[in-house]
Structures are given as structure tokens and as C-alpha cells.
Amino acid sequence: MQWLIRFRVFRAIHKSSYGFHPAPWQVRCQSSSNAGAARWNDHEVPEEFNFANSVLDYWAQMEKEGKRSTNPAFWWVSSQGEELKWSFREMADLTRRVANVFTQTCGLQQGDHLALILPHVPEWWLVTVGCIRTGIIILPGTIQLKAKDILYRLQMSKAKAIVTTDTLAPEVDSVAPECPALKNKFLVSDHRRNGWLDLRSLMNSASPDHTCVKSKTMDPMVIFFTSGTTGLPKMAKHSHGLALRASFPSCRKLMDLKMSDVFWCLSDPGWVMCFFGSLIEPWTAGSTVFIHHMPRVDPKVIVQTLFKYPITQLMGVPSIFRMILQQNFTSLRFPTLKYCYTGGEAQLPEDHKEWKRQTGLLLYGIYGQSETGAACGTLREMKIKLDSTGKALAPYDIQIIDDKGNVLPPNTEGNIGIRIKPTRPLGIFMCYEGDPEKTAQSECGDFYNTGDRATMDAEGYISFLGRDDDIINASVVKAFIVLTPQFLSQDRDHLTKELQQHVKSLTAPYKYPRKVEFVPELPKTVTGKIRRSELRRKEFGLM
């Protein structure tokens, strides 16, 4: 997708009050202390919480009082190398303008649903925080969605508004007549389109004065669509508690972010990892969110960026680190990078070893899903086990359970379960919106059954094996195919390409299998079910 926000556009929007400065070669790190940062107790949940007011506005006030370093809150680099920096004070102003566009100009109200389908462009952050200010519930989506995917999401969510680019606008227009709830279509583009509202122009004329809603901690904030493959995506609804949890001391130990950190998360904006790693976690700590917009994941651009900019912490799925290692770069000794985190897929011990050998850095595993956010990870003081994603993160109590909710002994394969009784922990999803049956099915005894297969050793380290349902959570997907007799004599390379193209055209492009293996039969249980975990181990050469 060829999409770029021009430097002149931002300057035109903010020329009266915002400065745009050439990026220095290094960010000045005047302080690495979080003294005075907003904190909450692990065990005392406030009745009210709003990330925009309690976190972003807090840091804006610290800047105003000279109690925060001059590092930008947001540092964005376009695919053409143009740079944009905003302070927390500027972010606060801009997100208030967006909030007023939605509520005053378009009449959206607290509790309304807004579909947000944007790439890594600054408006994604402005719209997300603007919605949090107003209590409008955000529904993030990847830009790889097809018209039928958008139709499903708009119909199921009854979204009253959508924000997207001119690339996807025709897809939205093709299904909009079948979405009676959809009243407002916002375009983020250098061009106008009939029937669409120009978000940038509306922001320019909107007032920067806005009073944040007094949202309850347990009021809904965001809905993530699970990436269904064999089944339709479910809508995992989260409260403001998902963002509050990042402020708890126990959770802040995971990345131990400081104001001086420059954090780059490589996740697509449609997924929970981006919400977690590109917004909630770094801004809770007053760190800099760094973004390099790439039309597609490019390991060469990633490496060049890590050498050019003072990025201190990096997050991405294992396949991205694998792609970098496969390029045979002359050097991967990055000057400022200190910590790397990976999750979202099964991890290979070989990748950990090779990353450490070439970069001198460890890969810290994190496990989570759309329903849970970060559920377990490897803290700095913990030893790293190469086949593990770490231990449970408070307040989650994680156990390996069977299909009836019984806790299994150490080193026994089962389902990852998060205890939800007698108390449902803060940060776990509220429900599957509009689907009480699926919500009930996800509960297994005293646990939420994640549907992920894993083992846990005697020390509490969890080793993720794979999914046991319809969710796809790996960017390197492998298909195991059993051919019927009429196809046995056909060319396997041709069949592979035909299958991949079929999946791309039928579903979102991210769902196509990168690898295809033709096998005589699939492993099955005694009841006839496919052994998915065995296929996962076979995929990674572990059997």
C-alpha cells in the first residue's frame, strides 16, 4: 500500500501552535527516573480510570512543570524518511481535537462503536486516544482486511463510524449499504472522497478544549477481533482496566521502562500487541513511542532504523527476528538497543541462541492473546529458558488445565488456563461481545480456557505449543495437506502456489500459508480429532 502523510499536511494542520524540528542524531536523556509517575497499587482497583486523562494528561502536566525530559512522546518516521515528533502536551491537544470531532461535530456518544482500520500513521494514535477520552469503544482492524471481513465487523459490532484510508475506502463503500448502523465515514488521506469526512480538516477546525469522560474502570474501552480461520472472529471486549493494569508495579517489572527509553513495537495496528506495545506500556512509563511506517515488514529497513535511531527497546513476533537473522547482515551490534521482546507465536530455541550470538542481546519471551493482553513473560531478574515464554504476570494466576478445568501436574501438556473465580482478574476480557454462548464456552471450571496448548515446569515456566481452536497466531503459517487421489500426480509446486493464491483471495492476505507440506495423513486422537500440537512440533522440526 502506497500511503504517506506529507510533512506539509501536518504543518498546515498545526502551524499556529506546533513546532516541527529536525530529528537530532540522539534523543537527549536527561532523566531515567520515574519519580512522581502515576502509580496504582497491585491490589486496589480505583472505581474510575481513563488512560487519556490519568496517563497521557499526567505526562503533559509533568512536561509543563518541567518534570519530564525533553524526549518526544511520539516519534514517527514515514516510509520516505520524513520525521514527525510530538510532545505529550501536543498529543493531549490533538487528541482533544479528535474527541471534539467525534462528539460535537458528528454526535457520537460514550458507548458507541468506532471501527479503526489504519496503518502505522499518526492518526491511529490520535483516534485511539481521542476515543478513550470520549468513552467511544474502539474496534482496531488490520489494513489487510477484505470487503467481506469489513462487512462482518461492521455488522457484528453495529459500528456507527469508521476511520480508514483511501485504499480501503472503496471496500467500505461496497458494503456500507448493508450496514445500517454506520453513519460516519472518516478518511485519512491527502485526497477527498465523496461521502467521506476529511478527518484532518475537521481536526484543524475543532476546539482543543475537551473534558474527558469520567469512565469507570470496568466500562468498556476496546474490542479486539480474534483472527479466526476455521471459524468467524470473535469480539473480545475489554474494559479500561486493560490499560490500568499496565500501571501496576508488578506489570511494570516486565519491561521496566523509563522516561529515557525509546520503544519500537513492530506489530500491525490491528492487533492487541500494537495496542499494548505501541501505546499503553510506553506511555504509562512516560517513554517515547517510536514508529517507522513500512508498507510491509522489511528486515533491511528494520536493521537500518536500529542503527540510525536511538531505539532502546524493541518488540515483535518471532518471525521478524528470524527474518533479520536470515539476511546475513555484516553486523547486528546495534548502538543503543538494550532489550528485545518477542511473542505471539511459538518460539524456536535456535532463534534465541542466534540472536544472542549476533546481537549480544537476549530475547525476552511474552505470551498473551486478544482476550488477555500480556499474560506471562520473562522478567529481567529471571533466567531465560529457551523453550519458554516465562511465568505468569500478576494479577493472573495461570495453570495448565485439562478440558474439565482440573489443574495438571508439571510437564504435562494441556490448555493454558487463567483463574477467573472467585475473582476475575483485572486486564482479562469482559466477554465476547454479542455472543454469550462463546463466552460461557471459554470458561472451564474456575478458569478461562485460552485454547492454547502448553506445558508448565516445576518452576512455573510456561512453554507454548500451539492453538487448539480457530485462532491463527503465527505470521509464518504452515499448511499440512492430504491430497485426494485425483491430485496425487500433479506438480506439488504448482499446487502450493494455487493454494496460497486461493487463500489470499478468499481471506485476508495475512492468513495465507507461507509453507505447505503434503503428507499421507494427519495425526489424530482416538476420538478422531486432529492433533494440532503434534503438527506444530512437526512444523518447527521438533519431532
Side-chain angles (χ1 to χ4, degrees), residues 13 29 60 93 105 111-113 115 130 142 170 180-181 185 197 199 213 215 242 300 306 357 450 461 467 489 514 543:
I13 294 177
C29 301
D93 185 300
T105 306
D112 287 343
H113 291 177
T142 171
K185 298 181 295 184
L197 299 168
L199 182 61
V213 298
S215 53
L242 176 67
K300 293 182 180 179
L306 290 171
R357 186 184 73 82
T450 65
Y461 282 83
R467 286 296 299 177
S489 61
R514 273 65 168 177
M543 61 175 295

Side-chain angles (χ1 to χ4, degrees), residues 178-305:
E178 302 176 64
C179 306
L182 186 64
K183 303 300 182 184
N184 297 284
K185 298 181 295 184
F186 296 93
L187 191 66
V188 176
S189 173
D190 292 340
H191 311 287
R192 300 295 180 93
R193 184 178 177 87
N194 290 336
W196 288 74
L197 299 168
D198 184 341
L199 182 61
R200 292 174 182 161
S201 296
L202 292 172
M203 284 174 54
N204 189 34
S205 58
S207 169
D209 298 321
H210 178 270
T211 301
C212 187
V213 298
K214 292 184 177 181
S215 53
K216 304 292 185 182
T217 300
M218 300 314 297
D219 284 346
M221 176 184 67
V222 61
I223 293 175
F224 296 106
F225 281 88
T226 62
S227 52
T229 50
T230 60
L232 294 171
K234 300 184 287 288
M235 296 192 294
K237 181 165 70 173
H238 280 274
S239 71
H240 291 270
L242 176 67
L244 171 61
R245 181 174 172 241
S247 295
F248 287 176
S250 59
C251 293
R252 294 180 69 173
K253 288 182 179 180
L254 178 62
M255 296 176 183
D256 194 27
L257 286 162
K258 309 291 194 300
M259 284 188 283
S260 57
D261 277 311
V262 180
F263 195 93
W264 187 16
C265 176
L266 295 162
S267 174
D268 184 292
W271 308 124
V272 68
M273 182 184 284
C274 183
F275 195 86
F276 168 79
S278 291
L279 192 151
I280 300 297
E281 285 290 328
W283 279 353
T284 294
S287 306
T288 296
V289 168
F290 180 91
I291 298 294
H292 192 306
H293 174 51
M294 295 176 283
R296 62 189 60 83
V297 176
D298 187 332
K300 293 182 180 179
V301 173
I302 294 172
V303 169
Q304 290 169 357
T305 302

